[in-house]
Amino acid sequence: MTTAEKYVTAAYCVVFAVVLVYVLIMALKLHRLEREVDELADRVPAEDDAEETPRETARVG
Amino acid sequence: MSAPAATIGAVGRTSRIPLPALAATSLVLVTTAIVFVFFVAPTDANQGFSQRIFYFHVSIAITAYACFAGAAWQAFRLLWKRDPLADLKSYVCVHQGVIFGTLVLITGSIWAKISWGRWWLWSSDQLVLFLVLFLFYCAYFMLRFSLDPGPQRANLSAVYALFGVVLIPVSFAAIRLAKDIIHPVVFTLHGPNFGGWILVTYCISQVAMLVLAYTLYRVELAGKQLDGRIRELREVLA
Protein backbone atom coordinates (compact mmCIF):
# COMPACT_ATOMS: atom_id res chain seq x y z
CA MET A 1 0.00 0.00 0.00
CA THR A 2 1.46 3.38 -1.00
CA THR A 3 1.45 6.45 1.25
CA ALA A 4 -1.26 8.10 -0.87
CA GLU A 5 -3.45 5.01 -0.59
CA LYS A 6 -3.01 4.98 3.20
CA TYR A 7 -3.99 8.64 3.49
CA VAL A 8 -7.00 8.27 1.19
CA THR A 9 -8.19 5.24 3.19
CA ALA A 10 -7.69 7.21 6.41
CA ALA A 11 -9.75 10.11 5.02
CA TYR A 12 -12.68 7.84 4.15
CA CYS A 13 -12.40 6.03 7.50
CA VAL A 14 -12.54 9.38 9.33
CA VAL A 15 -15.72 10.33 7.45
CA PHE A 16 -17.36 7.05 8.41
CA ALA A 17 -16.15 7.18 11.99
CA VAL A 18 -17.63 10.68 12.44
CA VAL A 19 -20.97 9.66 10.87
CA LEU A 20 -21.02 6.49 12.97
CA VAL A 21 -20.31 8.36 16.21
CA TYR A 22 -23.05 10.87 15.32
CA VAL A 23 -25.57 8.08 14.62
CA LEU A 24 -24.60 6.34 17.89
CA ILE A 25 -25.09 9.55 19.87
CA MET A 26 -28.49 10.04 18.21
CA ALA A 27 -29.47 6.41 18.91
CA LEU A 28 -28.54 6.78 22.60
CA LYS A 29 -30.48 10.02 22.82
CA LEU A 30 -33.57 8.50 21.19
CA HIS A 31 -33.30 5.53 23.56
CA ARG A 32 -33.29 7.92 26.53
CA LEU A 33 -36.30 9.78 25.09
CA GLU A 34 -38.13 6.49 24.62
CA ARG A 35 -37.60 5.69 28.31
CA GLU A 36 -38.87 9.14 29.28
CA VAL A 37 -41.99 8.66 27.11
CA ASP A 38 -42.61 5.31 28.84
CA GLU A 39 -42.26 6.98 32.25
CA LEU A 40 -44.74 9.67 31.24
CA ALA A 41 -47.13 7.12 29.77
CA ASP A 42 -47.08 5.27 33.09
CA ARG A 43 -47.90 8.46 34.94
CA VAL A 44 -50.72 9.70 32.67
CA PRO A 45 -53.28 6.87 33.24
CA ALA A 46 -52.70 6.98 37.00
CA GLU A 47 -53.58 10.69 37.09
CA ASP A 48 -56.51 10.21 34.69
CA ASP A 49 -57.94 7.48 36.94
CA ALA A 50 -57.72 9.70 40.01
CA GLU A 51 -59.56 12.56 38.30
CA GLU A 52 -62.10 10.45 36.45
CA THR A 53 -65.65 10.61 37.79
CA PRO A 54 -68.03 7.68 37.40
CA ARG A 55 -70.28 8.04 34.36
CA GLU A 56 -73.69 6.65 33.65
CA THR A 57 -73.98 4.08 30.89
CA ALA A 58 -76.25 4.91 27.95
CA ARG A 59 -77.36 2.97 24.90
CA VAL A 60 -76.11 4.24 21.55
CA GLY A 61 -78.07 4.00 18.31
CA MET B 1 -57.64 12.04 21.92
CA SER B 2 -56.28 13.70 25.08
CA ALA B 3 -54.01 16.76 24.80
CA PRO B 4 -50.74 14.97 25.71
CA ALA B 5 -51.51 12.15 23.30
CA ALA B 6 -52.22 14.67 20.55
CA THR B 7 -48.94 16.42 21.36
CA ILE B 8 -46.93 13.21 21.13
CA GLY B 9 -48.78 12.25 17.97
CA ALA B 10 -47.77 15.50 16.31
CA VAL B 11 -44.07 14.69 16.75
CA GLY B 12 -42.24 13.86 13.54
CA ARG B 13 -44.89 15.06 11.12
CA THR B 14 -42.48 17.41 9.38
CA SER B 15 -42.23 15.50 6.12
CA ARG B 16 -44.03 12.79 4.21
CA ILE B 17 -40.89 10.79 3.48
CA PRO B 18 -40.49 8.12 6.19
CA LEU B 19 -37.15 8.04 8.01
CA PRO B 20 -36.39 4.33 7.40
CA ALA B 21 -36.76 4.89 3.64
CA LEU B 22 -34.44 7.88 3.82
CA ALA B 23 -31.87 5.94 5.87
CA ALA B 24 -31.96 3.02 3.42
CA THR B 25 -31.55 5.40 0.45
CA SER B 26 -28.56 7.06 2.17
CA LEU B 27 -26.93 3.71 2.80
CA VAL B 28 -27.41 2.56 -0.81
CA LEU B 29 -26.15 5.87 -2.23
CA VAL B 30 -23.08 6.06 0.02
CA THR B 31 -22.18 2.43 -0.76
CA THR B 32 -22.61 3.08 -4.50
CA ALA B 33 -20.47 6.21 -4.21
CA ILE B 34 -17.66 4.26 -2.51
CA VAL B 35 -17.77 1.52 -5.16
CA PHE B 36 -17.54 4.17 -7.89
CA VAL B 37 -14.74 6.09 -6.10
CA PHE B 38 -12.49 3.06 -5.64
CA PHE B 39 -13.43 0.74 -8.51
CA VAL B 40 -14.92 2.76 -11.37
CA ALA B 41 -13.39 6.26 -11.43
CA PRO B 42 -10.04 6.39 -13.24
CA THR B 43 -6.87 7.50 -11.45
CA ASP B 44 -6.10 11.17 -12.13
CA ALA B 45 -3.05 11.70 -14.34
CA ASN B 46 -1.76 14.72 -12.37
CA GLN B 47 -2.60 13.98 -8.74
CA GLY B 48 -2.66 10.20 -8.82
CA PHE B 49 -4.52 8.18 -6.20
CA SER B 50 -4.81 11.09 -3.72
CA GLN B 51 -7.33 12.76 -6.06
CA ARG B 52 -9.91 10.20 -4.89
CA ILE B 53 -10.34 12.19 -1.66
CA PHE B 54 -11.88 14.96 -3.76
CA TYR B 55 -15.10 12.99 -4.42
CA PHE B 56 -16.10 13.14 -0.76
CA HIS B 57 -14.19 16.31 0.18
CA VAL B 58 -15.96 18.52 -2.40
CA SER B 59 -19.33 16.80 -1.87
CA ILE B 60 -19.08 17.30 1.89
CA ALA B 61 -18.03 20.95 1.43
CA ILE B 62 -21.03 21.71 -0.80
CA THR B 63 -23.29 19.85 1.66
CA ALA B 64 -21.93 22.00 4.50
CA TYR B 65 -22.68 25.15 2.48
CA ALA B 66 -26.19 23.79 1.79
CA CYS B 67 -26.73 23.22 5.53
CA PHE B 68 -25.65 26.78 6.36
CA ALA B 69 -27.87 28.12 3.57
CA GLY B 70 -30.75 26.03 4.96
CA ALA B 71 -30.11 27.50 8.41
CA ALA B 72 -30.28 31.01 6.96
CA TRP B 73 -33.52 30.20 5.11
CA GLN B 74 -35.14 28.89 8.29
CA ALA B 75 -33.86 31.92 10.20
CA PHE B 76 -35.43 34.15 7.56
CA ARG B 77 -38.72 32.25 7.89
CA LEU B 78 -38.62 32.70 11.66
CA LEU B 79 -38.11 36.44 11.38
CA TRP B 80 -40.57 36.91 8.53
CA LYS B 81 -43.38 34.43 9.15
CA ARG B 82 -42.81 33.76 12.88
CA ASP B 83 -42.85 30.00 12.26
CA PRO B 84 -42.22 28.55 15.75
CA LEU B 85 -40.51 25.43 14.37
CA ALA B 86 -38.12 27.45 12.17
CA ASP B 87 -35.80 28.25 15.11
CA LEU B 88 -35.26 24.56 15.85
CA LYS B 89 -34.83 23.76 12.15
CA SER B 90 -32.27 26.55 11.77
CA TYR B 91 -30.34 25.28 14.81
CA VAL B 92 -30.31 21.69 13.49
CA CYS B 93 -29.12 22.93 10.08
CA VAL B 94 -26.22 24.81 11.69
CA HIS B 95 -25.35 21.72 13.73
CA GLN B 96 -25.29 19.58 10.58
CA GLY B 97 -23.23 22.23 8.79
CA VAL B 98 -20.64 22.27 11.56
CA ILE B 99 -20.36 18.46 11.49
CA PHE B 100 -19.88 18.46 7.71
CA GLY B 101 -17.54 21.46 8.03
CA THR B 102 -15.38 19.45 10.44
CA LEU B 103 -15.20 16.67 7.85
CA VAL B 104 -14.22 19.19 5.14
CA LEU B 105 -11.33 20.42 7.29
CA ILE B 106 -10.17 16.89 8.16
CA THR B 107 -10.36 15.46 4.62
CA GLY B 108 -8.83 18.65 3.20
CA SER B 109 -5.92 18.46 5.64
CA ILE B 110 -5.29 14.83 4.72
CA TRP B 111 -5.28 15.75 1.04
CA ALA B 112 -2.94 18.69 1.76
CA LYS B 113 -0.53 16.39 3.60
CA ILE B 114 -0.28 14.11 0.54
CA SER B 115 -0.11 16.87 -2.08
CA TRP B 116 1.69 19.73 -0.30
CA GLY B 117 3.47 17.78 2.42
CA ARG B 118 1.81 19.91 5.11
CA TRP B 119 -1.44 19.55 7.04
CA TRP B 120 -2.34 23.24 6.80
CA LEU B 121 -1.15 26.38 4.99
CA TRP B 122 -1.94 29.68 6.67
CA SER B 123 -0.85 31.51 3.52
CA SER B 124 -3.73 30.04 1.54
CA ASP B 125 -6.72 32.42 1.63
CA GLN B 126 -9.18 29.68 0.67
CA LEU B 127 -8.33 27.50 3.64
CA VAL B 128 -8.32 30.37 6.10
CA LEU B 129 -11.67 31.68 4.79
CA PHE B 130 -13.30 28.29 5.20
CA LEU B 131 -11.87 28.10 8.73
CA VAL B 132 -13.34 31.55 9.47
CA LEU B 133 -16.73 30.36 8.17
CA PHE B 134 -16.48 27.23 10.29
CA LEU B 135 -15.50 29.12 13.45
CA PHE B 136 -18.25 31.66 12.83
CA TYR B 137 -20.83 28.89 12.95
CA CYS B 138 -19.13 27.29 15.98
CA ALA B 139 -19.64 30.62 17.76
CA TYR B 140 -23.37 30.33 16.93
CA PHE B 141 -23.64 27.67 19.64
CA MET B 142 -21.89 29.89 22.19
CA LEU B 143 -24.39 32.67 21.45
CA ARG B 144 -27.38 30.33 21.53
CA PHE B 145 -26.51 28.59 24.78
CA SER B 146 -25.55 31.80 26.56
CA LEU B 147 -29.20 32.94 26.37
CA ASP B 148 -32.30 31.58 28.06
CA PRO B 149 -34.75 29.75 25.78
CA GLY B 150 -37.41 32.06 24.41
CA PRO B 151 -38.20 34.53 21.63
CA GLN B 152 -35.07 36.63 22.34
CA ARG B 153 -32.76 33.66 21.87
CA ALA B 154 -34.62 32.58 18.72
CA ASN B 155 -34.42 36.08 17.20
CA LEU B 156 -30.72 36.61 18.00
CA SER B 157 -29.81 33.14 16.71
CA ALA B 158 -31.77 33.81 13.51
CA VAL B 159 -30.04 37.13 12.90
CA TYR B 160 -26.64 35.48 13.49
CA ALA B 161 -27.44 32.61 11.09
CA LEU B 162 -28.56 35.13 8.46
CA PHE B 163 -25.30 37.09 8.77
CA GLY B 164 -23.30 33.88 8.40
CA VAL B 165 -24.77 33.11 5.00
CA VAL B 166 -22.85 36.09 3.57
CA LEU B 167 -19.60 34.19 4.22
CA ILE B 168 -20.67 31.27 1.98
CA PRO B 169 -20.28 33.05 -1.40
CA VAL B 170 -17.10 34.72 -0.08
CA SER B 171 -15.60 31.33 0.82
CA PHE B 172 -16.81 29.78 -2.45
CA ALA B 173 -15.49 32.65 -4.57
CA ALA B 174 -12.15 32.80 -2.73
CA ILE B 175 -11.11 29.48 -4.25
CA ARG B 176 -11.70 30.96 -7.71
CA LEU B 177 -10.40 34.49 -7.12
CA ALA B 178 -7.28 33.67 -5.11
CA LYS B 179 -4.02 34.52 -6.86
CA ASP B 180 -2.16 31.62 -5.28
CA ILE B 181 -3.53 28.67 -7.23
CA ILE B 182 -2.76 26.14 -4.51
CA HIS B 183 -6.26 24.85 -3.96
CA PRO B 184 -7.57 23.00 -7.05
CA VAL B 185 -10.62 24.56 -8.73
CA VAL B 186 -13.28 21.97 -9.47
CA PHE B 187 -16.04 24.16 -10.91
CA THR B 188 -15.33 27.13 -13.17
CA LEU B 189 -17.65 29.51 -15.01
CA HIS B 190 -17.46 27.12 -17.97
CA GLY B 191 -18.62 24.13 -15.94
CA PRO B 192 -16.83 21.31 -14.12
CA ASN B 193 -13.14 20.72 -14.79
CA PHE B 194 -13.68 17.05 -15.46
CA GLY B 195 -15.93 14.65 -17.36
CA GLY B 196 -16.73 11.01 -18.01
CA TRP B 197 -16.64 8.62 -15.07
CA ILE B 198 -15.06 11.25 -12.80
CA LEU B 199 -18.12 13.47 -13.28
CA VAL B 200 -20.52 10.51 -12.80
CA THR B 201 -18.70 9.46 -9.59
CA TYR B 202 -18.70 13.01 -8.30
CA CYS B 203 -22.45 13.41 -8.98
CA ILE B 204 -23.26 10.15 -7.15
CA SER B 205 -21.08 11.22 -4.20
CA GLN B 206 -22.73 14.63 -4.11
CA VAL B 207 -26.26 13.19 -4.12
CA ALA B 208 -25.21 10.62 -1.48
CA MET B 209 -23.86 13.32 0.84
CA LEU B 210 -26.92 15.54 0.41
CA VAL B 211 -29.31 12.66 1.14
CA LEU B 212 -27.17 11.56 4.11
CA ALA B 213 -27.20 15.10 5.50
CA TYR B 214 -30.97 15.35 5.04
CA THR B 215 -31.48 12.00 6.79
CA LEU B 216 -29.30 13.05 9.75
CA TYR B 217 -31.13 16.39 9.83
CA ARG B 218 -34.51 14.63 10.02
CA VAL B 219 -33.30 12.26 12.76
CA GLU B 220 -31.89 15.10 14.85
CA LEU B 221 -34.94 17.30 14.30
CA ALA B 222 -37.30 14.49 15.34
CA GLY B 223 -35.20 13.90 18.47
CA LYS B 224 -35.14 17.59 19.39
CA GLN B 225 -38.89 17.96 18.81
CA LEU B 226 -39.59 14.92 20.94
CA ASP B 227 -37.26 16.22 23.67
CA GLY B 228 -39.08 19.56 23.69
CA ARG B 229 -42.51 17.95 23.85
CA ILE B 230 -41.48 15.64 26.68
CA ARG B 231 -40.21 18.66 28.62
CA GLU B 232 -43.57 20.39 28.06
CA LEU B 233 -45.45 17.29 29.19
CA ARG B 234 -43.33 17.03 32.33
CA GLU B 235 -44.22 20.62 33.17
CA VAL B 236 -47.92 19.93 32.58
CA LEU B 237 -47.83 16.78 34.72
CA ALA B 238 -45.70 18.33 37.49
Side-chain angles (χ1 to χ4, degrees):
Chain A
M1 209 178 195
T2 63
T3 313
E5 285 170 349
K6 281 179 191 165
Y7 277 117
V8 171
T9 311
Y12 279 86
C13 286
V14 166
V15 171
F16 284 102
V18 169
V19 173
L20 192 68
V21 167
Y22 178 83
V23 170
L24 276 175
I25 291 169
M26 281 295 128
L28 287 172
K29 192 183 172 183
L30 288 174
H31 185 68
R32 175 181 62 82
L33 292 173
E34 223 169 74
R35 264 190 290 123
E36 285 185 24
V37 169
D38 287 343
E39 274 175 40
L40 288 171
D42 287 342
R43 283 173 62 184
V44 171
E47 292 187 13
D48 280 353
D49 289 346
E51 287 173 12
E52 206 169 26
T53 51
R55 291 178 187 175
E56 286 179 17
T57 53
R59 290 186 66 183
V60 178
Chain B
M1 192 186 277
S2 64
T7 312
I8 291 172
V11 170
R13 282 186 200 159
T14 51
S15 173
R16 286 178 208 161
I17 309 167
L19 261 177
L22 263 178
T25 312
S26 305
L27 189 67
V28 169
L29 281 168
V30 171
T31 310
T32 312
I34 289 184
V35 169
F36 269 73
V37 166
F38 286 103
F39 301 107
V40 178
T43 303
D44 186 70
N46 295 325
Q47 293 184 44
F49 196 82
S50 67
Q51 181 265 350
R52 286 176 204 271
I53 287 181
F54 130 94
Y55 296 109
F56 268 31
H57 173 69
V58 177
S59 306
I60 290 170
I62 289 178
T63 307
Y65 290 140
C67 291
F68 294 138
W73 170 244
Q74 292 300 337
F76 179 69
R77 284 193 63 212
L78 173 81
L79 296 172
W80 187 34
K81 294 195 170 176
R82 291 282 149 203
D83 179 0
L85 198 58
D87 176 50
L88 194 60
K89 285 181 176 174
S90 179
Y91 163 72
V92 174
C93 280
V94 172
H95 194 221
Q96 293 295 320
V98 168
I99 291 167
F100 279 86
T102 308
L103 289 175
V104 173
L105 292 171
I106 294 171
T107 52
S109 292
I110 293 172
W111 182 84
K113 179 67 182 168
I114 310 168
S115 298
W116 306 334
R118 296 175 72 170
W119 295 103
W120 187 265
L121 278 178
W122 286 107
S123 57
S124 176
D125 297 340
Q126 306 97 309
L127 306 192
V128 175
L129 267 168
F130 189 84
L131 185 67
V132 169
L133 176 80
F134 175 76
L135 292 175
F136 180 88
Y137 279 103
C138 286
Y140 171 91
F141 298 106
M142 284 193 269
L143 170 78
R144 191 174 174 89
F145 294 114
S146 65
L147 299 164
D148 291 327
Q152 192 198 11
R153 181 172 90 168
N155 288 340
L156 282 172
S157 301
V159 170
Y160 194 91
L162 266 177
F163 270 122
V165 83
V166 178
L167 287 170
I168 297 173
V170 173
S171 170
F172 201 75
I175 296 170
R176 280 136 199 89
L177 299 175
K179 284 168 189 164
D180 55 330
I181 312 293
I182 300 173
H183 193 289
V185 179
V186 176
F187 295 104
T188 61
L189 288 173
H190 309 290
N193 262 343
F194 45 83
W197 284 112
I198 293 181
L199 181 61
V200 172
T201 309
Y202 166 72
C203 289
I204 293 170
S205 304
Q206 184 62 73
V207 172
M209 281 304 128
L210 287 169
V211 174
L212 177 70
Y214 183 63
T215 309
L216 298 178
Y217 162 79
R218 284 278 307 278
V219 170
E220 189 174 342
L221 186 65
K224 295 255 180 264
Q225 279 180 287
L226 190 58
D227 200 17
R229 306 256 186 199
I230 288 172
R231 223 170 283 167
E232 281 171 24
L233 280 174
R234 276 191 190 283
E235 282 169 20
V236 169
L237 291 170

